[in-house]
Amino acid sequence: MIPSIEKDSLEQIKIFQEQKLADLLAYVSQHSPFYKRLFSGQNIDLSKIKTLEDLQHLPVTTKEDLQQYNDDFLCVPQHKIIDYASTSGTLGDPVTFGLTDSDLDRLAYNEAISFACAGIAEGDVVQLMTTIDRKFMAGLAYFLGLRKLKVGVIRVGAGIPELQWDSILKYKPSYLITVPSFLLKLIEYAEIHGIDYNNSSIKGAICIGESLRNQDFSMNTLSKKITDQWNIQLFSTYASTEMSTAFTECEHGIGGHHHPELIITEVLDENNNPVKNGEAGELTFTTLGIEAMPLLRFKTGDIVQLHDEPCACGRNTFRVGPVIGRKKQMIKYKGTTLYPPAMNDVLSDFDNIENHLIEISTNDLGTDEILIKIAVKSQTPEFLQEIKDHFRAKLRVTPKIEFASKEVLNPLVFNPMSRKPIRFFDFRKTTV
């Protein structure tokens, strides 16, 4: 199930997207209070925006804009809103998104072609191990997409390894949709309870919320830990509530494929100019085909690199590489630029570490200070030194590291009000 547009030439894809862009600009200039005000206030002549390159003449939209003017982005009357979703609020106050019936159809289409990209097909059974409540768009999107693919869905929800295994053994799903680190808990439970997980029905897992790969697409520590024990294929996916679109890996595992019928993407530098081909920058997108809350040049805050080398799967679309980090989570430490994913990966090398979190604060000199708290199975000074040496070898710097108990860390990391583990806490006086 590869949409024909994704097999077209790059020139044909560009022409298609420019036609869709013209439709979008006409729509938001008529229906969006926010963009009508923005275009009028900056005297923007939309008739001059004809190509994808012309997008640079339009201002960007930020998370702060969404938080401050949330309702002004709505392009439809309230009675047309069928579903209310909200962002997770990882980097600020959550933002509410309304979806119309048409938007839900688009969401289902997006997930259907994304799951098909990972090899899921009619006749498969998939275990959904994420929440579908709490206004979580992704959980609903997964269900709608699988239904559109005519795939069986087991809606178990998050957590509880015993319940997950009961369902796996009873219904025999072929794929799981889950946070990848939870797969380690499934393995641990299976080993304790004598479940032969390598002879189970599971062929693969669609992984959300945590990175699986290094920048060269090799498997990172987390995915190696999983696949060294469990012979299943892991697929990485990148998405957000704001874009209502997913970038999902195919079986070749070299980045999440772009769906040009759903989204226009740019990668921008600090001055909102496009980076050179192959360079990293902030992923910025323009949604296509959204009725209730379309977004124009929305800056995600995620630093990524795009890849346009041909993929053996037959799609001609570019691919989004693993997220390097979030712009607001960038840390300057002893002359080195760091992002939390790199530190998480270093800590994942140690089986002795059961849980961890990273705290960033501003020291007396006005520079960034890092404190990593770890809960371990066995506390020794030698182990602490081993971790510090590993940080120095991998990242060239050694942050402050201290032991903490699981009883202290678990409620912070696995906050019941959050949809995903929270391992980064920013207490800086001014954020970067």
Side-chain angles (χ1 to χ4, degrees), residues 123-136:
D124 281 321
V125 176
V126 175
Q127 187 148 312
L128 184 53
M129 298 163 59
T130 65
T131 184
I132 200 168
D133 57 3
R134 298 185 186 177
K135 297 184 291 182
F136 187 36

Side-chain angles (χ1 to χ4, degrees), residues 416-430:
M417 297 306 293
S418 176
R419 302 165 184 160
K420 50 194 173 185
I422 304 172
R423 300 195 184 277
F424 183 78
F425 295 82
D426 196 339
F427 301 120
R428 287 175 287 190
K429 293 174 185 174
T430 55

Side-chain angles (χ1 to χ4, degrees), residues 145-267:
L146 293 168
R147 181 174 180 267
K148 188 174 182 65
L149 269 181
K150 299 182 180 178
V151 167
V153 187
I154 312 163
R155 292 181 293 109
V156 180
I160 319 176
E162 180 180 4
L163 182 59
Q164 303 292 351
W165 273 116
D166 284 348
S167 292
I168 291 169
L169 297 174
K170 182 175 182 180
Y171 302 110
K172 296 181 170 43
S174 43
Y175 291 89
L176 307 174
I177 300 175
T178 182
V179 175
S181 57
F182 187 71
L183 293 172
L184 294 174
K185 295 185 182 298
L186 285 187
I187 293 171
E188 181 183 28
Y189 182 91
E191 290 180 340
I192 291 172
H193 293 84
I195 297 171
D196 187 359
Y197 51 91
N198 271 312
N199 279 319
S200 72
S201 59
I202 304 303
K203 296 190 298 185
I206 313 300
C207 296
I208 64 170
E210 294 170 336
S211 179
L212 294 176
R213 302 191 184 279
N214 301 310
Q215 289 304 309
D216 63 358
F217 299 117
S218 61
M219 301 182 85
N220 66 12
T221 304
L222 174 59
S223 56
K224 279 182 188 173
K225 274 188 175 182
I226 296 165
T227 55
D228 282 351
Q229 298 176 80
W230 199 351
N231 185 27
I232 59 175
Q233 189 165 6
L234 305 181
F235 297 89
S236 183
T237 184
Y238 169 80
S240 72
T241 301
E242 292 93 343
M243 67 174 70
S244 293
T245 308
F247 295 81
T248 303
E249 287 182 336
C250 67
E251 69 272 21
H252 301 287
I254 52 173
H257 279 279
H258 170 227
H259 302 310
E261 64 271 49
L262 299 178
I263 200 165
I264 296 169
T265 58
E266 305 169 80
V267 178

